[in-house]
PDB file of all heavy atoms in Angstrom:
ATOM      1  N   TYR A   1     -53.583  50.519 125.566  1.00  0.00           N
ATOM      2  CA  TYR A   1     -53.591  50.063 126.956  1.00  0.00           C
ATOM      3  C   TYR A   1     -52.684  48.876 127.384  1.00  0.00           C
ATOM      4  O   TYR A   1     -51.929  48.990 128.341  1.00  0.00           O
ATOM      5  CB  TYR A   1     -55.061  49.848 127.307  1.00  0.00           C
ATOM      6  CG  TYR A   1     -55.317  49.277 128.737  1.00  0.00           C
ATOM      7  CD1 TYR A   1     -55.243  50.160 129.841  1.00  0.00           C
ATOM      8  CD2 TYR A   1     -55.518  47.954 129.015  1.00  0.00           C
ATOM      9  CE1 TYR A   1     -55.426  49.722 131.113  1.00  0.00           C
ATOM     10  CE2 TYR A   1     -55.764  47.472 130.141  1.00  0.00           C
ATOM     11  CZ  TYR A   1     -55.770  48.330 131.219  1.00  0.00           C
ATOM     12  OH  TYR A   1     -55.764  47.873 132.583  1.00  0.00           O
ATOM     13  N   LYS A   2     -52.722  47.937 126.451  1.00  0.00           N
ATOM     14  CA  LYS A   2     -51.845  46.812 126.725  1.00  0.00           C
ATOM     15  C   LYS A   2     -50.336  47.225 126.818  1.00  0.00           C
ATOM     16  O   LYS A   2     -49.519  46.669 127.490  1.00  0.00           O
ATOM     17  CB  LYS A   2     -52.062  45.620 125.778  1.00  0.00           C
ATOM     18  CG  LYS A   2     -53.382  44.991 125.975  1.00  0.00           C
ATOM     19  CD  LYS A   2     -53.565  43.855 124.847  1.00  0.00           C
ATOM     20  CE  LYS A   2     -54.869  43.312 125.089  1.00  0.00           C
ATOM     21  NZ  LYS A   2     -55.210  42.253 123.989  1.00  0.00           N
ATOM     22  N   GLN A   3     -50.001  48.087 125.775  1.00  0.00           N
ATOM     23  CA  GLN A   3     -48.665  48.577 125.772  1.00  0.00           C
ATOM     24  C   GLN A   3     -48.205  49.314 127.078  1.00  0.00           C
ATOM     25  O   GLN A   3     -47.091  49.165 127.597  1.00  0.00           O
ATOM     26  CB  GLN A   3     -48.290  49.440 124.472  1.00  0.00           C
ATOM     27  CG  GLN A   3     -48.292  48.620 123.180  1.00  0.00           C
ATOM     28  CD  GLN A   3     -48.107  49.559 122.050  1.00  0.00           C
ATOM     29  OE1 GLN A   3     -48.151  50.726 122.071  1.00  0.00           O
ATOM     30  NE2 GLN A   3     -47.936  49.033 120.768  1.00  0.00           N
ATOM     31  N   ALA A   4     -49.027  50.201 127.482  1.00  0.00           N
ATOM     32  CA  ALA A   4     -48.819  50.978 128.682  1.00  0.00           C
ATOM     33  C   ALA A   4     -48.702  49.991 129.988  1.00  0.00           C
ATOM     34  O   ALA A   4     -47.984  50.275 130.850  1.00  0.00           O
ATOM     35  CB  ALA A   4     -49.998  51.984 128.910  1.00  0.00           C
ATOM     36  N   LYS A   5     -49.531  48.983 129.847  1.00  0.00           N
ATOM     37  CA  LYS A   5     -49.544  48.064 131.057  1.00  0.00           C
ATOM     38  C   LYS A   5     -48.341  47.305 130.978  1.00  0.00           C
ATOM     39  O   LYS A   5     -47.630  47.005 132.070  1.00  0.00           O
ATOM     40  CB  LYS A   5     -50.800  47.068 130.853  1.00  0.00           C
ATOM     41  CG  LYS A   5     -51.227  46.470 132.177  1.00  0.00           C
ATOM     42  CD  LYS A   5     -52.493  45.647 131.851  1.00  0.00           C
ATOM     43  CE  LYS A   5     -52.905  44.908 133.017  1.00  0.00           C
ATOM     44  NZ  LYS A   5     -54.183  44.135 132.896  1.00  0.00           N
ATOM     45  N   ARG A   6     -47.743  46.852 129.865  1.00  0.00           N
ATOM     46  CA  ARG A   6     -46.501  46.203 129.863  1.00  0.00           C
ATOM     47  C   ARG A   6     -45.272  47.070 130.287  1.00  0.00           C
ATOM     48  O   ARG A   6     -44.401  46.659 131.133  1.00  0.00           O
ATOM     49  CB  ARG A   6     -46.291  45.686 128.472  1.00  0.00           C
ATOM     50  CG  ARG A   6     -46.898  44.407 128.147  1.00  0.00           C
ATOM     51  CD  ARG A   6     -46.437  43.668 126.779  1.00  0.00           C
ATOM     52  NE  ARG A   6     -46.587  44.584 125.631  1.00  0.00           N
ATOM     53  CZ  ARG A   6     -47.571  44.569 124.712  1.00  0.00           C
ATOM     54  NH1 ARG A   6     -48.612  43.672 124.931  1.00  0.00           N
ATOM     55  NH2 ARG A   6     -47.585  45.427 123.760  1.00  0.00           N
ATOM     56  N   ARG A   7     -45.347  48.357 129.829  1.00  0.00           N
ATOM     57  CA  ARG A   7     -44.289  49.386 130.210  1.00  0.00           C
ATOM     58  C   ARG A   7     -44.371  49.586 131.783  1.00  0.00           C
ATOM     59  O   ARG A   7     -43.268  49.544 132.361  1.00  0.00           O
ATOM     60  CB  ARG A   7     -44.631  50.616 129.456  1.00  0.00           C
ATOM     61  CG  ARG A   7     -43.410  51.436 129.314  1.00  0.00           C
ATOM     62  CD  ARG A   7     -43.599  52.745 128.518  1.00  0.00           C
ATOM     63  NE  ARG A   7     -44.207  52.473 127.180  1.00  0.00           N
ATOM     64  CZ  ARG A   7     -45.356  52.987 126.648  1.00  0.00           C
ATOM     65  NH1 ARG A   7     -45.981  53.926 127.442  1.00  0.00           N
ATOM     66  NH2 ARG A   7     -45.860  52.789 125.482  1.00  0.00           N
ATOM     67  N   HIS A   8     -45.570  49.622 132.294  1.00  0.00           N
ATOM     68  CA  HIS A   8     -45.669  49.861 133.786  1.00  0.00           C
ATOM     69  C   HIS A   8     -45.146  48.669 134.506  1.00  0.00           C
ATOM     70  O   HIS A   8     -44.468  48.736 135.525  1.00  0.00           O
ATOM     71  CB  HIS A   8     -47.091  49.951 134.005  1.00  0.00           C
ATOM     72  CG  HIS A   8     -47.406  50.120 135.504  1.00  0.00           C
ATOM     73  ND1 HIS A   8     -47.890  49.118 136.190  1.00  0.00           N
ATOM     74  CD2 HIS A   8     -47.270  51.271 136.335  1.00  0.00           C
ATOM     75  CE1 HIS A   8     -47.916  49.404 137.595  1.00  0.00           C
ATOM     76  NE2 HIS A   8     -47.638  50.785 137.597  1.00  0.00           N
ATOM     77  N   ALA A   9     -45.427  47.392 134.049  1.00  0.00           N
ATOM     78  CA  ALA A   9     -44.894  46.203 134.769  1.00  0.00           C
ATOM     79  C   ALA A   9     -43.396  46.168 134.687  1.00  0.00           C
ATOM     80  O   ALA A   9     -42.631  45.797 135.617  1.00  0.00           O
ATOM     81  CB  ALA A   9     -45.492  45.012 134.026  1.00  0.00           C
ATOM     82  N   LYS A  10     -42.808  46.665 133.503  1.00  0.00           N
ATOM     83  CA  LYS A  10     -41.315  46.659 133.281  1.00  0.00           C
ATOM     84  C   LYS A  10     -40.723  47.636 134.350  1.00  0.00           C
ATOM     85  O   LYS A  10     -39.764  47.347 135.111  1.00  0.00           O
ATOM     86  CB  LYS A  10     -41.040  47.065 131.984  1.00  0.00           C
ATOM     87  CG  LYS A  10     -39.528  47.040 131.571  1.00  0.00           C
ATOM     88  CD  LYS A  10     -39.459  47.507 130.175  1.00  0.00           C
ATOM     89  CE  LYS A  10     -38.004  47.759 129.929  1.00  0.00           C
ATOM     90  NZ  LYS A  10     -37.812  48.221 128.377  1.00  0.00           N
ATOM     91  N   TYR A  11     -41.290  48.815 134.534  1.00  0.00           N
ATOM     92  CA  TYR A  11     -40.841  49.813 135.445  1.00  0.00           C
ATOM     93  C   TYR A  11     -41.027  49.374 136.871  1.00  0.00           C
ATOM     94  O   TYR A  11     -40.157  49.652 137.717  1.00  0.00           O
ATOM     95  CB  TYR A  11     -41.463  51.123 135.182  1.00  0.00           C
ATOM     96  CG  TYR A  11     -40.985  51.775 133.797  1.00  0.00           C
ATOM     97  CD1 TYR A  11     -41.959  52.562 133.092  1.00  0.00           C
ATOM     98  CD2 TYR A  11     -39.759  51.757 133.380  1.00  0.00           C
ATOM     99  CE1 TYR A  11     -41.629  53.178 131.937  1.00  0.00           C
ATOM    100  CE2 TYR A  11     -39.398  52.363 132.254  1.00  0.00           C
ATOM    101  CZ  TYR A  11     -40.281  53.125 131.468  1.00  0.00           C
ATOM    102  OH  TYR A  11     -39.911  53.610 130.305  1.00  0.00           O
ATOM    103  N   ARG A  12     -42.124  48.794 137.147  1.00  0.00           N
ATOM    104  CA  ARG A  12     -42.318  48.208 138.493  1.00  0.00           C
ATOM    105  C   ARG A  12     -41.306  47.226 138.822  1.00  0.00           C
ATOM    106  O   ARG A  12     -40.877  47.159 139.981  1.00  0.00           O
ATOM    107  CB  ARG A  12     -43.833  47.658 138.550  1.00  0.00           C
ATOM    108  CG  ARG A  12     -44.227  47.119 139.834  1.00  0.00           C
ATOM    109  CD  ARG A  12     -44.528  48.171 140.732  1.00  0.00           C
ATOM    110  NE  ARG A  12     -44.839  47.834 142.031  1.00  0.00           N
ATOM    111  CZ  ARG A  12     -45.113  48.499 143.097  1.00  0.00           C
ATOM    112  NH1 ARG A  12     -45.179  49.809 143.033  1.00  0.00           N
ATOM    113  NH2 ARG A  12     -45.492  47.929 144.197  1.00  0.00           N
ATOM    114  N   MET A  13     -41.063  46.342 137.992  1.00  0.00           N
ATOM    115  CA  MET A  13     -39.957  45.318 138.170  1.00  0.00           C
ATOM    116  C   MET A  13     -38.629  45.926 138.513  1.00  0.00           C
ATOM    117  O   MET A  13     -37.840  45.461 139.476  1.00  0.00           O
ATOM    118  CB  MET A  13     -39.816  44.271 137.086  1.00  0.00           C
ATOM    119  CG  MET A  13     -38.968  43.156 137.304  1.00  0.00           C
ATOM    120  SD  MET A  13     -39.112  41.792 135.986  1.00  0.00           S
ATOM    121  CE  MET A  13     -38.135  42.807 134.664  1.00  0.00           C
ATOM    122  N   LYS A  14     -38.186  46.989 137.719  1.00  0.00           N
ATOM    123  CA  LYS A  14     -36.970  47.756 137.995  1.00  0.00           C
ATOM    124  C   LYS A  14     -36.928  48.263 139.424  1.00  0.00           C
ATOM    125  O   LYS A  14     -35.954  48.306 140.096  1.00  0.00           O
ATOM    126  CB  LYS A  14     -36.802  48.846 136.911  1.00  0.00           C
ATOM    127  CG  LYS A  14     -36.073  48.288 135.763  1.00  0.00           C
ATOM    128  CD  LYS A  14     -35.871  49.510 134.699  1.00  0.00           C
ATOM    129  CE  LYS A  14     -35.232  48.980 133.426  1.00  0.00           C
ATOM    130  NZ  LYS A  14     -34.982  50.248 132.568  1.00  0.00           N
ATOM    131  N   TYR A  15     -38.054  49.032 139.661  1.00  0.00           N
ATOM    132  CA  TYR A  15     -38.235  49.606 141.011  1.00  0.00           C
ATOM    133  C   TYR A  15     -38.100  48.652 142.181  1.00  0.00           C
ATOM    134  O   TYR A  15     -37.426  48.771 143.166  1.00  0.00           O
ATOM    135  CB  TYR A  15     -39.556  50.337 141.125  1.00  0.00           C
ATOM    136  CG  TYR A  15     -39.798  51.040 142.502  1.00  0.00           C
ATOM    137  CD1 TYR A  15     -39.210  52.120 142.852  1.00  0.00           C
ATOM    138  CD2 TYR A  15     -40.622  50.476 143.293  1.00  0.00           C
ATOM    139  CE1 TYR A  15     -39.426  52.615 144.068  1.00  0.00           C
ATOM    140  CE2 TYR A  15     -40.973  51.034 144.608  1.00  0.00           C
ATOM    141  CZ  TYR A  15     -40.274  52.085 144.914  1.00  0.00           C
ATOM    142  OH  TYR A  15     -40.484  52.655 146.101  1.00  0.00           O
ATOM    143  N   ASP A  16     -38.792  47.489 141.990  1.00  0.00           N
ATOM    144  CA  ASP A  16     -38.671  46.434 143.012  1.00  0.00           C
ATOM    145  C   ASP A  16     -37.356  45.838 143.222  1.00  0.00           C
ATOM    146  O   ASP A  16     -36.806  45.512 144.277  1.00  0.00           O
ATOM    147  CB  ASP A  16     -39.641  45.360 142.645  1.00  0.00           C
ATOM    148  CG  ASP A  16     -41.131  45.647 142.905  1.00  0.00           C
ATOM    149  OD1 ASP A  16     -41.395  46.724 143.547  1.00  0.00           O
ATOM    150  OD2 ASP A  16     -42.100  44.946 142.374  1.00  0.00           O
ATOM    151  N   ARG A  17     -36.519  45.823 142.092  1.00  0.00           N
ATOM    152  CA  ARG A  17     -35.229  45.216 142.151  1.00  0.00           C
ATOM    153  C   ARG A  17     -34.259  46.396 142.832  1.00  0.00           C
ATOM    154  O   ARG A  17     -33.418  46.035 143.675  1.00  0.00           O
ATOM    155  CB  ARG A  17     -34.599  45.036 140.704  1.00  0.00           C
ATOM    156  CG  ARG A  17     -35.093  43.768 140.229  1.00  0.00           C
ATOM    157  CD  ARG A  17     -34.400  43.523 138.854  1.00  0.00           C
ATOM    158  NE  ARG A  17     -35.060  42.298 138.233  1.00  0.00           N
ATOM    159  CZ  ARG A  17     -34.865  41.912 136.960  1.00  0.00           C
ATOM    160  NH1 ARG A  17     -34.194  42.672 136.173  1.00  0.00           N
ATOM    161  NH2 ARG A  17     -35.458  40.752 136.541  1.00  0.00           N
ATOM    162  N   MET A  18     -34.496  47.620 142.547  1.00  0.00           N
ATOM    163  CA  MET A  18     -33.736  48.759 143.250  1.00  0.00           C
ATOM    164  C   MET A  18     -34.048  48.842 144.786  1.00  0.00           C
ATOM    165  O   MET A  18     -33.140  49.136 145.448  1.00  0.00           O
ATOM    166  CB  MET A  18     -34.049  50.069 142.528  1.00  0.00           C
ATOM    167  CG  MET A  18     -33.476  50.066 141.124  1.00  0.00           C
ATOM    168  SD  MET A  18     -34.005  51.523 140.137  1.00  0.00           S
ATOM    169  CE  MET A  18     -33.823  52.945 141.205  1.00  0.00           C
ATOM    170  N   THR A  19     -35.303  48.536 145.114  1.00  0.00           N
ATOM    171  CA  THR A  19     -35.588  48.714 146.489  1.00  0.00           C
ATOM    172  C   THR A  19     -35.679  47.305 147.171  1.00  0.00           C
ATOM    173  O   THR A  19     -36.109  47.362 148.456  1.00  0.00           O
ATOM    174  CB  THR A  19     -36.889  49.457 146.636  1.00  0.00           C
ATOM    175  OG1 THR A  19     -37.970  48.731 145.985  1.00  0.00           O
ATOM    176  CG2 THR A  19     -36.924  50.819 146.128  1.00  0.00           C
ATOM    177  N   GLY A  20     -35.228  46.369 146.654  1.00  0.00           N
ATOM    178  CA  GLY A  20     -35.384  45.050 147.217  1.00  0.00           C
ATOM    179  C   GLY A  20     -34.413  44.722 148.330  1.00  0.00           C
ATOM    180  O   GLY A  20     -33.421  45.480 148.480  1.00  0.00           O
ATOM    181  N   PRO A  21     -34.427  43.718 149.136  1.00  0.00           N
ATOM    182  CA  PRO A  21     -33.476  43.596 150.302  1.00  0.00           C
ATOM    183  C   PRO A  21     -32.141  43.348 149.776  1.00  0.00           C
ATOM    184  O   PRO A  21     -31.161  43.693 150.463  1.00  0.00           O
ATOM    185  CB  PRO A  21     -34.050  42.396 150.989  1.00  0.00           C
ATOM    186  CG  PRO A  21     -35.161  41.901 150.289  1.00  0.00           C
ATOM    187  CD  PRO A  21     -35.576  42.871 149.174  1.00  0.00           C
ATOM    188  N   THR A  22     -31.879  42.630 148.720  1.00  0.00           N
ATOM    189  CA  THR A  22     -30.553  42.396 148.350  1.00  0.00           C
ATOM    190  C   THR A  22     -29.764  43.437 147.883  1.00  0.00           C
ATOM    191  O   THR A  22     -28.608  43.750 148.252  1.00  0.00           O
ATOM    192  CB  THR A  22     -30.534  41.235 147.128  1.00  0.00           C
ATOM    193  OG1 THR A  22     -31.431  41.814 146.052  1.00  0.00           O
ATOM    194  CG2 THR A  22     -31.092  39.942 147.478  1.00  0.00           C
ATOM    195  N   GLU A  23     -30.396  44.426 147.248  1.00  0.00           N
ATOM    196  CA  GLU A  23     -29.889  45.777 146.873  1.00  0.00           C
ATOM    197  C   GLU A  23     -29.550  46.487 148.015  1.00  0.00           C
ATOM    198  O   GLU A  23     -28.466  47.181 148.138  1.00  0.00           O
ATOM    199  CB  GLU A  23     -30.799  46.392 145.777  1.00  0.00           C
ATOM    200  CG  GLU A  23     -30.140  47.536 145.016  1.00  0.00           C
ATOM    201  CD  GLU A  23     -29.243  46.967 143.986  1.00  0.00           C
ATOM    202  OE1 GLU A  23     -29.223  45.887 143.572  1.00  0.00           O
ATOM    203  OE2 GLU A  23     -28.197  47.761 143.705  1.00  0.00           O
ATOM    204  N   ILE A  24     -30.416  46.607 149.025  1.00  0.00           N
ATOM    205  CA  ILE A  24     -30.191  47.471 150.170  1.00  0.00           C
ATOM    206  C   ILE A  24     -29.085  46.809 150.925  1.00  0.00           C
ATOM    207  O   ILE A  24     -28.236  47.538 151.515  1.00  0.00           O
ATOM    208  CB  ILE A  24     -31.499  47.432 151.014  1.00  0.00           C
ATOM    209  CG1 ILE A  24     -32.617  48.331 150.281  1.00  0.00           C
ATOM    210  CG2 ILE A  24     -31.210  48.012 152.394  1.00  0.00           C
ATOM    211  CD1 ILE A  24     -33.895  48.254 150.947  1.00  0.00           C
ATOM    212  N   THR A  25     -28.932  45.544 151.224  1.00  0.00           N
ATOM    213  CA  THR A  25     -27.852  44.881 151.953  1.00  0.00           C
ATOM    214  C   THR A  25     -26.469  45.177 151.213  1.00  0.00           C
ATOM    215  O   THR A  25     -25.470  45.457 151.842  1.00  0.00           O
ATOM    216  CB  THR A  25     -28.101  43.488 152.055  1.00  0.00           C
ATOM    217  OG1 THR A  25     -28.195  42.878 150.835  1.00  0.00           O
ATOM    218  CG2 THR A  25     -29.151  43.208 153.004  1.00  0.00           C
ATOM    219  N   LYS A  26     -26.448  45.178 149.889  1.00  0.00           N
ATOM    220  CA  LYS A  26     -25.110  45.496 149.083  1.00  0.00           C
ATOM    221  C   LYS A  26     -24.809  46.918 149.425  1.00  0.00           C
ATOM    222  O   LYS A  26     -23.572  47.164 149.617  1.00  0.00           O
ATOM    223  CB  LYS A  26     -25.403  45.182 147.731  1.00  0.00           C
ATOM    224  CG  LYS A  26     -25.334  43.807 147.263  1.00  0.00           C
ATOM    225  CD  LYS A  26     -25.621  43.710 145.748  1.00  0.00           C
ATOM    226  CE  LYS A  26     -25.807  42.232 145.213  1.00  0.00           C
ATOM    227  NZ  LYS A  26     -26.015  42.235 143.889  1.00  0.00           N
ATOM    228  N   LYS A  27     -25.676  47.753 149.340  1.00  0.00           N
ATOM    229  CA  LYS A  27     -25.488  49.253 149.561  1.00  0.00           C
ATOM    230  C   LYS A  27     -24.997  49.463 150.923  1.00  0.00           C
ATOM    231  O   LYS A  27     -24.100  50.240 151.269  1.00  0.00           O
ATOM    232  CB  LYS A  27     -26.592  50.095 149.121  1.00  0.00           C
ATOM    233  CG  LYS A  27     -26.891  50.184 147.692  1.00  0.00           C
ATOM    234  CD  LYS A  27     -28.019  51.169 147.387  1.00  0.00           C
ATOM    235  CE  LYS A  27     -28.322  51.219 145.876  1.00  0.00           C
ATOM    236  NZ  LYS A  27     -29.513  52.052 145.511  1.00  0.00           N
ATOM    237  N   ALA A  28     -25.599  48.781 151.905  1.00  0.00           N
ATOM    238  CA  ALA A  28     -25.203  48.956 153.335  1.00  0.00           C
ATOM    239  C   ALA A  28     -23.889  48.501 153.612  1.00  0.00           C
ATOM    240  O   ALA A  28     -23.063  49.038 154.349  1.00  0.00           O
ATOM    241  CB  ALA A  28     -26.333  48.207 154.160  1.00  0.00           C
ATOM    242  N   LYS A  29     -23.479  47.294 153.014  1.00  0.00           N
ATOM    243  CA  LYS A  29     -22.031  46.723 153.191  1.00  0.00           C
ATOM    244  C   LYS A  29     -21.020  47.856 152.558  1.00  0.00           C
ATOM    245  O   LYS A  29     -20.024  47.944 153.096  1.00  0.00           O
ATOM    246  CB  LYS A  29     -21.998  45.428 152.504  1.00  0.00           C
ATOM    247  CG  LYS A  29     -22.543  44.318 153.288  1.00  0.00           C
ATOM    248  CD  LYS A  29     -22.281  43.010 152.752  1.00  0.00           C
ATOM    249  CE  LYS A  29     -23.055  41.925 153.476  1.00  0.00           C
ATOM    250  NZ  LYS A  29     -22.898  40.524 152.897  1.00  0.00           N
ATOM    251  N   LYS A  30     -21.406  48.415 151.451  1.00  0.00           N
ATOM    252  CA  LYS A  30     -20.484  49.262 150.841  1.00  0.00           C
ATOM    253  C   LYS A  30     -20.330  50.575 151.690  1.00  0.00           C
ATOM    254  O   LYS A  30     -19.214  51.213 151.644  1.00  0.00           O
ATOM    255  CB  LYS A  30     -20.972  49.812 149.464  1.00  0.00           C
ATOM    256  CG  LYS A  30     -20.878  48.871 148.360  1.00  0.00           C
ATOM    257  CD  LYS A  30     -21.344  49.376 147.013  1.00  0.00           C
ATOM    258  CE  LYS A  30     -21.143  48.378 145.830  1.00  0.00           C
ATOM    259  NZ  LYS A  30     -21.829  48.919 144.769  1.00  0.00           N
ATOM    260  N   MET A  31     -21.259  50.963 152.402  1.00  0.00           N
ATOM    261  CA  MET A  31     -21.190  52.054 153.284  1.00  0.00           C
ATOM    262  C   MET A  31     -20.606  51.700 154.713  1.00  0.00           C
ATOM    263  O   MET A  31     -20.262  52.590 155.564  1.00  0.00           O
ATOM    264  CB  MET A  31     -22.662  52.693 153.590  1.00  0.00           C
ATOM    265  CG  MET A  31     -23.274  53.322 152.358  1.00  0.00           C
ATOM    266  SD  MET A  31     -24.890  53.754 152.489  1.00  0.00           S
ATOM    267  CE  MET A  31     -24.805  55.387 153.198  1.00  0.00           C
ATOM    268  N   GLY A  32     -20.346  50.469 154.926  1.00  0.00           N
ATOM    269  CA  GLY A  32     -19.672  50.151 156.106  1.00  0.00           C
ATOM    270  C   GLY A  32     -20.454  49.599 157.265  1.00  0.00           C
ATOM    271  O   GLY A  32     -20.096  49.339 158.389  1.00  0.00           O
ATOM    272  N   PHE A  33     -21.764  49.298 156.986  1.00  0.00           N
ATOM    273  CA  PHE A  33     -22.613  48.730 158.084  1.00  0.00           C
ATOM    274  C   PHE A  33     -22.304  47.371 158.211  1.00  0.00           C
ATOM    275  O   PHE A  33     -21.923  46.630 157.310  1.00  0.00           O
ATOM    276  CB  PHE A  33     -24.051  48.988 157.703  1.00  0.00           C
ATOM    277  CG  PHE A  33     -24.610  50.393 157.869  1.00  0.00           C
ATOM    278  CD1 PHE A  33     -24.585  51.178 156.720  1.00  0.00           C
ATOM    279  CD2 PHE A  33     -24.881  50.875 159.051  1.00  0.00           C
ATOM    280  CE1 PHE A  33     -25.086  52.506 156.765  1.00  0.00           C
ATOM    281  CE2 PHE A  33     -25.435  52.157 159.141  1.00  0.00           C
ATOM    282  CZ  PHE A  33     -25.396  52.997 158.054  1.00  0.00           C
ATOM    283  N   ILE A  34     -22.623  46.737 159.476  1.00  0.00           N
ATOM    284  CA  ILE A  34     -22.380  45.257 159.684  1.00  0.00           C
ATOM    285  C   ILE A  34     -23.741  44.586 160.007  1.00  0.00           C
ATOM    286  O   ILE A  34     -24.581  45.356 160.682  1.00  0.00           O
ATOM    287  CB  ILE A  34     -21.489  45.130 160.962  1.00  0.00           C
ATOM    288  CG1 ILE A  34     -20.113  45.864 160.831  1.00  0.00           C
ATOM    289  CG2 ILE A  34     -21.318  43.690 161.380  1.00  0.00           C
ATOM    290  CD1 ILE A  34     -19.293  45.935 162.028  1.00  0.00           C
TER     291      ILE A  34
END
């Protein structure tokens, strides 16, 4: 259970980084948004 909990926390952190505001603004600038 503790291993699964650590694995879930690791995946949650990756997801939060992928959907965070800094990542979204970087992708928006690459697409040409102002």
Side-chain angles (χ1 to χ4, degrees):
Y1 174 73
K2 287 179 183 178
Q3 285 176 352
K5 204 172 176 184
R6 283 193 298 264
R7 202 175 309 127
H8 176 264
K10 181 180 170 184
Y11 291 142
R12 181 74 181 178
M13 188 173 66
K14 276 186 180 179
Y15 175 77
D16 287 343
R17 283 184 184 163
M18 288 169 49
T19 59
T22 55
E23 195 69 28
I24 290 175
T25 53
K26 283 181 187 176
K27 286 181 181 178
K29 282 183 183 177
K30 282 182 185 176
M31 294 171 88
F33 288 98
I34 301 171

